[in-house]
Amino acid sequence: MLGISQSRSTIFVTGGAGFIGSAVIRHLLDTTDVSIVNIDKLTYASNLHSIPQAAAQSERYRLSKTDICDGEALRALFAQYRPQGVIHLAAESHVDRSIDGPQDFISTNINGTFMLLQEALRHWRTLSAAERSAFRLLHVSTDEVFGSLGPDGAFTETSPYAPNSPYSASKAASDHLVRAWCETYELPCLISNCSNNYGPYQFPEKLIPHMIIKALAEEPLPVYGDGQNIRDWLYVEDHARALYMILTQGRIGQTYNVGGRNERTNLDVVETLCALLDRLQPSNRGGRRRLISFVTDRPGHDRRYAIDASKLERELGWTAMENFDSGLEKTVRWYLANAPWWQSIRTAGYEAERLGLGRAPKA
Ligand code: NAD
């Protein structure tokens, strides 16, 4: 067993106040003894209420409001906490926002990753030989770096990179930096590329919460284009489990694809959500499918993603515990039971307007 998973270990989680990062921290607090430092700039996408265990686990959990582009601040954190591992999730993550304003994506996803690598390397070089060999940095990336698939096949770890959006291009660039820091400087890094996540605590701009909240408000459900774009969905807690396994058991320098083999068209997803809501919280105005409306497509909208996760399953024994039906029902039940969580995001000013038409890209 690596030193990383021992009880006195400290793990940095960047972006731990976001959707997947908070799931990772909940998983670490609930199932391990490690200590966690959550390094997060606290952008619009963050929510500290997404880690309800934090207060009760205060001896194992620290929050540092830090921008990963701030090298000096990162250096001070590495010197103070001397972590055994880093799970790097901090990023700008919404494709539509990257079309309207790519600058923040270049800054955080590329320059921020560069800063983190530099400071992790500086820290790693101060460690003893045994500590250096136990240290790991896991960079969390997306299947979108591989571009769009035709009707058949799935992305593997050797699929060529072909990013199509400013978001996926910035993630692809960061993947290459991580690879280079591992090859050139021997910093012990791993990369994971995951399919679309869904589940509790997801910011309402993403497809599934966006549709749940609109349907509950009896508002039109805007499906992009013809609704036939296909995504491969993974329940976020399955992803969090995979990330800790990769960090502690993965092979240095390797990439692992993470996915749940749950391909669905966007229209299928929205229709399934309507059916679930009709069953769990019927509307007196009738079935929610009547709310579906087709709107102008996203520019450069990738047609299909699918992930082959067999390397992760074979090498580390990971399997997804939720299938799409069970995970989606859990998710809908969570949004119904936790309205204050998402209503407070609306109250704080999020307006759920249409983004990403690329009419007037800002810097
Ligand atoms: P998110 O947008 O919900 O959260 C991102 C977090 O990063 C937020 O808490 C934000 O405050 C923080 N952050 C942003 N810029 C920062 C900066 N400069 N310094 C420090 N913190 C900063 O994103 P998510 O959906 O949880 O995604 C997490 C990671 O997983 C991202 O790297 C994303 O590319 C990757 N990923 C996401 C998905 C998905 O379906 N959501 C799929 C595969 C991979």
Side-chain angles (χ1 to χ4, degrees), residues 11 62 81 95 110 116 204 214 229 237-239 248 273 352:
I11 295 181
R62 291 281 178 280
Y81 292 104
V95 177
I110 305 179
L116 181 70
K214 289 222 169 250
N229 299 65
E237 290 169 11
D238 279 326
H239 189 193
T248 52
L273 283 172

Side-chain angles (χ1 to χ4, degrees), residues 15 17-21 39-43 45-46 66-68 89-93 108 140-142 167 171 194-197 206:
F19 169 50
I20 302 171
I39 299 175
D40 197 299
K41 183 182 171 183
L42 303 183
T43 70
S46 66
T66 298
D67 184 339
I68 56 162
L89 298 114
E92 288 293 335
S93 69
T108 287
V140 180
S141 191
T142 165
Y167 164 67
K171 291 297 291 186
C194 187
S195 57
N196 275 36
N197 283 218
K206 302 286 169 63

Side-chain angles (χ1 to χ4, degrees), residues 147-303:
S148 190
L149 283 168
D152 305 311
F155 299 126
T156 70
E157 288 78 4
T158 55
S159 295
Y161 274 49
N164 290 319
S165 71
Y167 164 67
S168 55
S170 69
K171 291 297 291 186
S174 64
D175 293 8
H176 293 324
L177 291 177
V178 173
R179 180 188 160 84
W181 261 243
C182 186
E183 292 293 323
T184 303
Y185 306 110
E186 298 180 2
L187 182 68
C189 299
L190 307 104
I191 297 175
S192 62
N193 295 93
C194 187
S195 57
N196 275 36
N197 283 218
Y198 69 101
Y201 301 105
Q202 188 168 29
F203 192 85
E205 67 192 354
K206 302 286 169 63
L207 180 74
I208 288 175
H210 186 69
M211 294 296 174
I212 295 172
I213 292 166
K214 289 222 169 250
L216 289 173
E218 297 285 338
E219 289 173 13
L221 304 178
V223 174
Y224 290 0
D226 62 3
Q228 294 308 307
N229 299 65
I230 293 175
R231 299 292 178 263
D232 188 352
W233 293 93
L234 181 67
Y235 192 65
V236 68
E237 290 169 11
D238 279 326
H239 189 193
R241 237 176 355 98
L243 292 177
Y244 188 59
M245 277 178 127
I246 296 170
L247 181 80
T248 52
Q249 298 169 43
R251 286 185 290 137
I252 293 171
Q254 293 289 308
T255 289
Y256 294 89
N257 279 358
V258 192
R261 296 202 174 82
N262 287 305
E263 284 185 55
R264 295 284 187 284
T265 67
N266 287 344
L267 183 58
D268 223 14
V269 171
V270 178
E271 287 177 345
T272 310
L273 283 172
C274 289
L276 273 168
L277 285 167
D278 290 345
R279 174 157 65 79
L280 297 173
Q281 192 161 305
S283 161
N284 55 18
R285 297 192 215 169
R288 263 85 170 203
R289 278 171 82 144
R290 74 194 138 79
L291 297 169
I292 292 176
S293 72
F294 293 92
V295 299
T296 311
D297 208 352
R298 167 191 283 167
H301 199 179
D302 287 335
R303 197 66 178 165

